Amino acid sequence: MSAQPAETSTAPSLPWRDALKVYLEPATLRMLALGFSAGLPLLLVLGTLSFRLREAGIDRTTIGYLSWVGLAYGFKWVWAPLVDRLPLPPLTTLLGRRRGWLLLAQGVVIAGLVGMALNDPRQGLAPLIWCALLVAFGSATQDIALDAFRIESAETRKQAALAAAYQTGYRLAMIWAGAGVLWVAAWAEVAPAAGATGAAAYQNGAWKTAYLVMAASMAVGVLTVLLSPEPVRRVLPKARNAAEWLQSVLIEPFADFIRRYKWQAALILSLIAIYRISDVVMGIMANPFYVDMGFTKDEVATVSKIYGVVMTLAGAFVGGVLSMRLGVMRVLMLGAVLSAASNLLFAWLASRGHDLTALIAVVSADNLAGGIASAAFIAYLSSLTNISYSATQYALFSSLMLLLPKFIAGYSGAFVDSHGYAQFFTATAFLGVPVLLLVALAARITTTKAPAGRQ
């Protein structure tokens, strides 16, 4: 078994020209489009949905608890082995294993978004939440197949660039699902009844139009799947019996990771579990915060679209290039610092009230930090993955990344109701302090490659 450092200052650096040229390769451009398909559903069942529910008069505590819909992403490792190994006749025959699962998952997301469009939260939350769960399940399944597709599409040294392209597409979709949906909903509104304010001014028809547009936007991912080549198929040994199949599909991917890292696996998994905790916990209350501060849908959408997207693209690009030039772990530390610090800006914004200039500054800084952190983090997770179990292992990592933060985020509405927004945002910033220690410790760990016989 051979080992090489996950991050060393002596590793040869690519020339700047070669480092930048990788962004024009077909595999990188495909990840840009597929990243858009992956990023679109997330806010529609979390952040944007919280804006919609708050407008409809749903209380913050309930909105916080409903964010547990997102826990579907935290348990995707449960069915990841099936996505990794199980064929889907006739989709697998026509498209291949990765693309077949991608197309099926995208169909589930589209169906769920249409259902969310057709249900009014004022008439009862249950139908809307069931449709949101369907979207989350389909989106999580798409993530499983897409992560494997990405990891198998290029060699290790190009994974940071693929991660940056994926993150760029993902963030563009989040802007579209966060800002674009608000623009569409605002455009579709009719003049409210005289004297109508708050929940009485809520217009479900406008949100119906917006969610149907979002469902149609999934066509970007569908077309990319249909037009993309399937990664080179790995010939898997046939299991002699059910016990051997379960061993190879369910147990071996996790056992492989433990064998390679031994006791250090606990440190790595701890870092993965809390790296994005500041952003995830804060994010659930961001849109209710905008509503309560008096910002309109057009204002929030415009700031996110114009300033947020520029800084997000800059952050993802910078994170990808710096990861190849300086190493992933250094950029991982930088991202952790910036992500926690940006939450303090929201605490400052809470004292400003309806201040559009301050909103622009805070959203811009937050998106820059998020782009840098995410590009480095995705590259780090990819470096830990054995390509023989790429879908299952990456699903474990990305599920663990969300599980604890989303569980804690469920109580965010109750915390805000008790202590206010400023104290909430400050508390989420301090949640990021342990991350810095774990990154420093994880930088000392070597990335152990699987034996050639297992590849």
Side-chain angles (χ1 to χ4, degrees), residues 278-279 282 289 337-352 362 365-366 369 421-433:
S278 293
D279 286 344
M282 183 278 288
F289 169 68
V337 173
L338 294 178
S339 294
S342 66
N343 285 15
L344 294 175
L345 296 178
F346 279 92
W348 170 76
L349 182 61
S351 67
R352 304 284 298 179
V362 171
D366 185 58
Y421 280 114
Q423 289 81 357
F424 169 71
F425 292 132
T426 301
T428 61
F430 281 104
L431 285 175
V433 173

Side-chain angles (χ1 to χ4, degrees), residues 137-225:
F137 176 77
S139 176
T141 303
Q142 179 183 217
D143 288 348
I144 296 167
L146 182 50
D147 289 330
F149 184 92
R150 172 176 53 79
I151 292 169
E152 294 169 3
S153 293
E155 63 266 31
T156 300
R157 73 180 183 89
K158 295 184 178 180
Q159 285 298 323
L162 262 64
Y166 169 90
Q167 185 63 28
T168 299
Y170 197 97
R171 289 284 178 164
L172 283 171
M174 292 183 73
I175 296 299
W176 180 233
V181 72
L182 296 179
W183 266 344
V184 174
W187 168 81
E189 285 181 339
V190 298
T197 58
Y202 173 79
Q203 297 184 26
N204 194 66
W207 285 104
K208 175 181 176 180
T209 299
Y211 267 76
L212 288 176
V213 169
M214 294 300 111
S217 298
M218 285 295 294
V220 173
V222 172
L223 289 175
T224 303
V225 168

Side-chain angles (χ1 to χ4, degrees), residues 65 106 111 116 142 146 160 205 218 247 287 292 329 390 411:
Y65 293 145
Q106 289 166 349
M116 292 181 71
Q142 179 183 217
L146 182 50
M218 285 295 294
Q247 171 71 24
N287 277 316
D292 291 340
M329 298 308 295
S390 53
Y411 298 101

Side-chain angles (χ1 to χ4, degrees), residues 71-84 137 140-141 143-145 147 249-251 253-254 269 272 389-404:
L71 286 175
Y73 294 93
F75 286 100
K76 63 185 179 182
W77 58 271
V78 174
W79 65 93
L82 298 180
V83 178
D84 205 2
F137 176 77
T141 303
D143 288 348
I144 296 167
D147 289 330
V249 172
L250 296 177
I251 299 175
F254 306 114
L269 294 176
I272 294 171
Y389 312 108
S390 53
T392 302
Q393 289 186 348
Y394 198 94
L396 171 64
F397 300 150
S398 55
S399 296
L400 188 62
M401 172 185 73
L402 296 172
L403 192 57
L404 180 62

Side-chain angles (χ1 to χ4, degrees), residues 3-13 261 322-333 376 379-380 383-384 439-449:
Q4 66 184 56
E7 159 102 18
T8 66
S9 58
T10 59
S13 298
Y261 293 101
L322 288 181
S323 293
M324 288 190 291
R325 286 282 301 175
L326 305 178
V328 171
M329 298 308 295
R330 291 186 179 91
V331 185
L332 205 65
M333 176 66 81
Y380 176 64
S383 74
L384 300 173
V439 172
L441 294 174
R444 301 172 179 270
I445 298 176
T446 57
T447 299
T448 307
K449 301 299 181 183

Side-chain angles (χ1 to χ4, degrees), residues 37 39-46 48-49 52 73 105-119 128 130-136 139 142 176-177 181 207-219:
S37 178
L40 188 72
L42 183 64
L43 284 184
L44 297 175
V45 297
L46 292 173
T48 301
L49 180 59
R52 179 183 179 183
Y73 294 93
Q106 289 166 349
V108 172
V109 170
I110 293 170
L113 290 176
V114 171
M116 292 181 71
L118 300 178
N119 283 282
L128 183 65
W130 280 112
C131 290
L133 281 169
L134 184 64
V135 173
S139 176
Q142 179 183 217
W176 180 233
V181 72
W207 285 104
K208 175 181 176 180
T209 299
Y211 267 76
L212 288 176
V213 169
M214 294 300 111
S217 298
M218 285 295 294

